[in-house]
Amino acid sequence: MTAELVRGQNHPLSQVRLEIRISAGKPVVATAVLGDESGRIHGVERVAHPGVPTLPGLEVSRQAAADHRLAVDLDAVPAAVHRVGVVLALPTGVGGPVGFGSVAAPFVAVTGLDGAEIVTFTLTGLDAESAVIALELYRRQGAWKVRAVGQGYAGGLAELLTDQGLPQAHQLATEINEAVVRGLARSVPAPPPPTSDGDRSRQTAALGPDQSGSPYNPQNTPGAQATHGAQGIPGSQGVGGPYGATSSAHGTASPAGGATPSDPEPAQSASAPPAGGPIDYSHPRRQNTAPPPPPPTAPPAQPGEPARPVAGDATGWSMEERLYNQVWGMFEDLARSTAAFRSAVDFADARMEKELDQVLSDPRSRIGGQGEAAREAAQAKHSRLVDQAREALDRDLGQLGAEADVVEPALPAAYARWDSPVWHAYRVPMEMPMALRLGDLHVPESEPLRIPMLVRLPLERGLWIDSGRTGSSDGLFTDAHDMRRLAMESAVAHTARLLAVHPAGEFTVHVLDPAGSAAGELSPLVRSGVLAAPPAAGAAGVAAVLGQLTERVDLVQMAVRGGVADSLPPGFDTAQQLLVVNDFPHGFDDRAVTQLRYLADEGPAVGVHLMMVADREDAAGYGPLLDPLWRGLLRLTPVADDHLADPWVGHAWTYEPALVPPGSQVLQQVLAQVAAARTNYQ
C-alpha cells in the first residue's frame, strides 16, 4: 500500500532499484544531488542535471518538463554517498513562473520497477521559492529510507546548492539553466492528449473546469463557505481534488450539466482559453498517465441491455485505489446529472416565462380564447421539457443506484459504513489506507442514493464537529443539550475509525474535556484503553496537553528545517497525534486559545491533528480573533445538514455523519482489537 508522506516524515525502502515520478503542471528542472552523511555535496560531479543527466546509479531528464521520471539504483551509487536529494527548480529566463506559489503543488511518487507506488509526497506551502528539495533517499545503518523534505529556496538553484556546501554553486546553477534553455529551444510542442474513454469526468464539452476543493474531498481544499457562516471544506493539494483520478464513464451524464464539486473552492485556470479555441477540462493536479485498467470481472452486457456495474472497475494500482476512484467517479456523475436536470428545469421555466410575457404584452391576446390557448401551450411545453429532464435524471440515478449496490458491499473497512459486514472481520491493518469515510453526501434529487464522503489520509486539515444549531429540520428540532451529545458521539465515531484504520502504534489520541461534560460519550474510548491518557480536565489539564503538543510541533519543525528529522530524541513518539477538544472555549484562557490556533495551523504538516467539538456561538466573545481557526477546519455536523457548498455546479450537498447504528456493539469490538494490538506493539 502506498504511504502518503507529509513534510518531515520518512519511510523505509525495501527496494534499491526505483523510479521517481514527478508531476508539476508547469515545466520544472529535475536534478539529483549526491551528498555525504551530513548532506554536503563535494563537487559538481556529484550533481545529475540536464547537462550531465547520468551519474552512477542515477539518471535524470535532459530538459525541463511538467512530468519527469528519474531512474535510481541505490546499489550503484558510490559508497561515500549517504544521501540522494531530488531537487526541483523553475527555469529562469524562459518567461515562466518565478515561484512555486504560482503553480500547482508538485507531486512526487517513489515507485518500484513494476510501477507500484511506495510513497507519495505533495509539496504544499511553497510561495516565492524557485527551487526546492522535494525528498531525499538516505542510508541509515546499512538500509535506505526516503524522507519528504519540501525545503524551498527563494534564491533558486544557486542558493540551494550553496546551502548544500557546493563551492561552485553559482557557476553550476548557470550551466544548468543554460542547458535547460538550449533544450527548450530545440523542443517542439507536444500533441494534444487523446480523449480517453476511461475519463468519466470530462467527456462532455459543456462541462465546466474542475477545481481543487469540494464537499466530496474536503481534504484537498482551502475550504468553501458553509451556508451558516462556517467554513465548509479544505484540502489536499489534492477535492484534489478529492480524488486523484476518475473512473470509467457511465455514458449517462447529460451534456447540459456541470460537473462535480470536489472541494468547495474552485481552482480556476490561471488564464482563459483563446476565443474559439478548445477548453482544457483536465484537473490541474490529476495525473495524465492513468494506471492500467483492471481486468474485466463480469461478462459483457447483451446488446440493448445497460452495462452491468462492477465493483472496482475504475483505474488504479490496487483494488483500494480502484474503489476510491470509482466512488469519486460516481460522485462526479451524480453532480453532472443533477446539474443537467436543474439546468433543464431552469431553461423550461425561463422559456415559459418568456412565452407568457409575449402573450401578455399584446393587449389583443390578454383575454379571450387566444390568450388562454397560448398560456396552455406554454405550460404544456414546460411540462414536457421538465418530464424529459426528469426521465434522463431517473435513468442516471437508476444506473448510479445499481452501481452503488455493488460498490458499497465491496468497500474496505476504511471506506465502509459502520453497519457493513466488513467490520465483523476487522483486523488491525499493517498499513494506513489512502482515504477515510467521514459520512455520506446526497442532493435532494438523488434520494435515496448516497455517495460516500472520503477524505485523503493523512489528514491535512483539522475537523470541526459543530455542536450548534443547524438550518436543517433535524437541527432545528433538536435542543442544545442533545446537539452537544450527538456532536460528541459523532466525534467518538470518527476518532474510533481513525484509530481502526491506522497500524498499531501509529496513531495516538489525546482528549480535552475541561468540565468533564462528555464522560458518557467518551466511555467507549476510555474503557477500551485506546487513549494516550485519561481525558484532561480543568484548566491545568488543558494547559498541560496543549503545552506538550505545542512543544512537539516546535521540535519536529526545527528538526525538519535543520535536516535532522531522523535524529529526534530517543523514545520520541513518531505516531500521528489527534487532539479531541470538547466544549470549547470553556476552560481555555488566552494562552490556551493561542496554542490551539497554532496547532490548527502548524500541526497537520508535522502529524498533529485537531478535532474540535464546539458551537461557534459559544466563542463569539473572541470576535474575529478565532475566524482563522474556524476557516482552517473542515466543518461537519452531527445531524444531516446541507452546509457543504459546491460553487462549481451550484449544488448544496447534504452531509450525513457516519454514525454507529443504535444498539450495535461494533464500535466496542473494533476498539478492543485496537487496544489489544497497541498492547502487543508496546
Side-chain angles (χ1 to χ4, degrees), residues 237-401:
Q237 297 79 326
V239 150
Y243 292 110
T246 55
S247 56
S248 59
H250 291 291
T252 59
S254 168
T260 168
S262 275
D263 289 357
E265 236 176 52
Q268 305 293 346
S269 61
S271 59
I279 300 176
D280 181 9
Y281 294 106
S282 62
H283 193 289
R285 290 191 299 276
R286 186 167 293 155
Q287 297 182 7
N288 295 326
T289 56
T297 55
Q302 297 298 322
E305 294 183 1
R308 300 175 185 176
V310 177
D313 71 344
T315 57
W317 297 107
S318 65
M319 177 55 75
E320 179 191 23
E321 184 178 0
R322 292 200 293 269
L323 287 169
Y324 176 82
N325 292 337
Q326 185 172 13
V327 171
W328 163 234
M330 293 166 59
F331 174 76
E332 287 190 325
D333 284 352
L334 178 58
R336 274 202 311 276
S337 298
T338 305
F341 172 73
R342 294 181 180 180
S343 177
V345 172
D346 290 343
F347 171 77
D349 292 342
R351 179 172 176 172
M352 183 177 69
E353 183 177 353
K354 180 180 178 180
E355 292 178 350
L356 292 178
D357 286 343
Q358 290 175 347
V359 172
L360 295 176
S361 64
D362 188 352
R364 294 172 298 179
S365 60
R366 290 180 184 174
I367 58 177
Q370 184 179 357
E372 186 64 26
R375 282 190 288 269
E376 291 179 356
Q379 292 170 351
K381 291 179 182 178
H382 176 272
S383 299
R384 185 167 61 253
L385 289 174
V386 172
D387 290 343
Q388 291 175 351
R390 186 72 224 191
E391 181 181 354
L393 177 63
D394 290 342
R395 183 176 62 249
D396 293 351
L397 292 179
Q399 185 167 351
L400 285 171

Side-chain angles (χ1 to χ4, degrees), residues 187-252:
S187 64
V188 295
T195 302
S196 169
D197 292 338
D199 185 358
R200 71 193 283 167
S201 64
R202 299 292 177 268
Q203 293 194 5
T204 309
L207 299 183
D210 203 346
Q211 67 238 6
S212 66
S214 144
Y216 195 71
N217 192 352
Q219 176 100 6
N220 298 344
T221 357
Q225 289 295 336
T227 57
H228 302 290
Q231 190 87 5
I233 315 196
S236 172
Q237 297 79 326
V239 150
Y243 292 110
T246 55
S247 56
S248 59
H250 291 291
T252 59

Side-chain angles (χ1 to χ4, degrees), residues 2-5 20-26 28 66-69 86 88 100 103-111 117-124 126 132 134-135 220 236-238 240 244 284-289 317 321 434 456 460:
T2 304
E4 190 170 352
L5 303 183
I20 299 175
R21 301 178 180 180
I22 299 165
S23 178
K26 295 288 185 180
V28 298
D67 297 289
H68 294 268
R69 292 195 176 191
V86 177
L88 307 181
F100 278 104
V103 301
F107 174 83
V108 183
V110 179
T111 74
E117 289 184 351
I118 302 172
V119 301
T120 63
F121 175 43
T122 304
L123 286 78
T124 59
L126 299 176
V132 59
L135 51 79
N220 298 344
S236 172
Q237 297 79 326
R285 290 191 299 276
R286 186 167 293 155
Q287 297 182 7
N288 295 326
T289 56
W317 297 107
E321 184 178 0
M434 65 186 301
R456 290 298 294 266
E460 294 185 358

